[in-house]
Amino acid sequence: MKAAIFVEPNRIVLDEKPIPDVGPLDALIRITTTTICGTDVHILKGEYPVARGLTIGHEPVGVIEKLGSSVQGYQEGQRVIAGAITPSGHSAACLCGYHSQDGAGTKHGFKPMGGWRFGNTIDGAQAEYLLVPDAMANLAAIPDALADEQVLMCPDIMSTGFSGAESGKVRIGDVVAVFAQGPIGLCATAGARLMGATTIIGVDAVPARMEIARKMGADHVVDFTKGDVVEEIMRLTDGRGVDVAIEALGRSETFEAALRVIRPGGTLSSLGVYSGDLKIPLDAFLAGLGDHTIVTTLCPGGKERMRRLMEVIAGGRLDTRPLVTHRFPLDRIEEAYELFANQRDGVLKVAISPQ
């Protein structure tokens, strides 16, 4: 099969690999649509280490090609998705509700980021076929009425973005700021709206993203190139600050700005993948006496999470199709990486189709 393989920093290439063998609890799916994530770009640049020769990607949409001998409740030929996070379902972490920190097989059952396997510790989705481990915990059937591109954001982008609002415990009537309106930030904006926030402030500088942010639920969009973002958000909130600030970029500057705009007792919900140290300024932190909450979240996964996200789509509560701005066949994935990594041509997300 063809697969996008990490060779070395700054080099991911399309090459041939064997189609995986299927174990008793596994499922082999034929990929029909996948995409490239910002985390994949971190891997490409060598900012997040993975093994050489690993197939990249963690956002699969496909059809069941073959089921393991012990897998029940699914049929070959069924359309499915699997989350970017593929928990075992039985570790201590999973049983505590922390599927992303799944430590199946470890002494205590917790492992940092252990639930993230595709394109991290096992071969991923940017290929013609994908082996899904613990299939009964991770495969979610796609409703017949939904097309691939309608559910393409569910495995990661939508799940991660929504989790920023969920972990931040957004409530009805809250004021929320979302730093960066890339695909995850846009889904965080939509998630905050669905959870009841009545004033949502997006932060970005790309006109197309600012326009989509308004469609996804932002009441105000602040252009960070045209002034001090913190001052503008404090002005918009009449000096009060926001109840929840969601950091969806992964940069120290935006983390600090998010901390500076939350009210006393407010929450900073961090979704960013950081490639350097974070510093917490003493004044913004109110010397540790501001009753602030800082919470981090790795994309929730598992089949029930996927089912719920697809219900949001099927129920007409959110349409993520506008996030797909470019489409490529798998044969041109290196070109797709070049476009996406350099954020050219107004790209938000690219759809990759092996066939």
Side-chain angles (χ1 to χ4, degrees):
M1 69 175 185
K2 297 175 182 176
I5 297 169
F6 175 76
V7 178
E8 59 187 1
N10 298 311
R11 191 174 175 214
I12 289 175
V13 301
L14 189 68
D15 206 344
E16 294 284 334
K17 295 185 85 165
I19 295 174
D21 294 327
V22 181
L25 294 174
D26 302 333
L28 182 71
I29 66 173
R30 174 175 55 82
I31 297 294
T32 54
T33 310
T34 188
T35 184
I36 298 172
C37 178
T39 305
D40 299 329
V41 176
H42 284 291
I43 291 171
L44 171 66
K45 293 179 178 179
E47 296 170 347
Y48 184 89
V50 300
R52 297 182 183 221
L54 188 76
T55 302
I56 305 305
H58 50 260
E59 298 163 275
V61 181
V63 175
I64 297 175
E65 184 79 6
K66 185 176 181 180
L67 291 169
S69 58
S70 297
V71 177
Q72 300 177 0
Y74 300 91
Q75 298 83 40
E76 293 175 0
Q78 188 175 21
R79 295 175 63 229
V80 292
I81 63 172
I85 301 300
T86 52
S88 66
H90 60 75
S91 69
C94 289
L95 295 174
C96 289
Y98 294 101
H99 301 90
S100 302
Q101 314 303 324
D102 180 21
T106 66
K107 181 178 180 180
H108 299 292
F110 287 85
K111 181 181 178 182
M113 302 180 291
W116 174 28
R117 294 191 270 184
F118 291 146
N120 182 24
T121 59
I122 65 174
D123 281 338
Q126 292 168 14
E128 292 182 292
Y129 293 93
L130 172 71
L131 189 70
V132 179
D134 299 302
M136 289 187 289
N138 290 295
L139 288 182
I142 302 171
D144 291 339
L146 297 183
D148 279 14
E149 288 192 9
Q150 287 180 279
V151 301
L152 181 58
M153 300 302 126
C154 294
D156 182 359
I157 300 305
M158 187 176 169
S159 186
T160 300
F162 276 23
S163 72
E166 292 167 306
S167 295
K169 294 181 168 54
V170 173
R171 299 185 297 175
I172 292 171
D174 270 356
V175 179
V176 177
V178 182
F179 285 80
Q181 295 295 297
I184 287 177
L186 289 167
C187 286
T189 294
R193 180 185 62 176
L194 287 170
M195 291 189 71
T198 49
T199 302
I200 302 173
I201 304 166
V203 178
D204 210 285
V206 179
R209 295 186 176 197
M210 296 169 78
E211 181 181 349
I212 294 177
R214 293 185 178 92
K215 294 178 181 178
M216 298 286 264
D219 301 284
H220 309 277
V221 185
V222 176
D223 186 337
F224 65 80
T225 66
K226 294 184 177 179
D228 188 301
V229 170
V230 173
E231 288 183 1
E232 180 60 12
I233 291 175
M234 296 306 289
R235 185 190 70 80
L236 289 169
T237 60
D238 194 28
R240 174 183 181 274
V242 303
D243 298 288
V244 180
I246 301 172
E247 201 287 323
L249 185 60
R251 297 185 62 177
S252 180
E253 306 94 300
T254 48
F255 184 92
E256 180 179 335
L259 183 60
R260 290 188 179 279
V261 301
I262 56 175
R263 60 162 172 78
T267 299
L268 193 168
S269 180
S270 172
L271 297 175
V273 178
Y274 303 96
S275 55
D277 290 340
L278 291 175
K279 296 181 179 179
I280 298 180
L282 187 65
D283 62 330
F285 196 48
L286 300 181
L289 302 175
D291 287 325
H292 294 138
T293 298
I294 298 176
V295 59
T296 65
T297 309
L298 175 58
C299 172
K303 67 180 182 183
E304 174 61 9
R305 176 69 170 185
M306 296 300 106
R307 184 195 68 79
R308 287 175 176 270
L309 294 176
M310 288 191 287
E311 285 294 320
V312 173
I313 300 291
R317 299 298 193 270
L318 178 63
D319 183 4
T320 60
R321 285 174 293 184
L323 301 184
V324 179
T325 55
H326 295 73
R327 295 164 182 84
F328 290 86
L330 182 62
D331 286 343
R332 293 172 56 199
I333 195 166
E334 293 173 47
E335 180 183 342
Y337 261 100
E338 194 279 330
L339 171 79
F340 186 75
N342 292 288
Q343 291 293 290
R344 293 192 293 100
D345 194 25
V347 66
L348 278 172
K349 292 287 282 185
V350 299
I352 307 291
S353 302
Q355 285 75 31

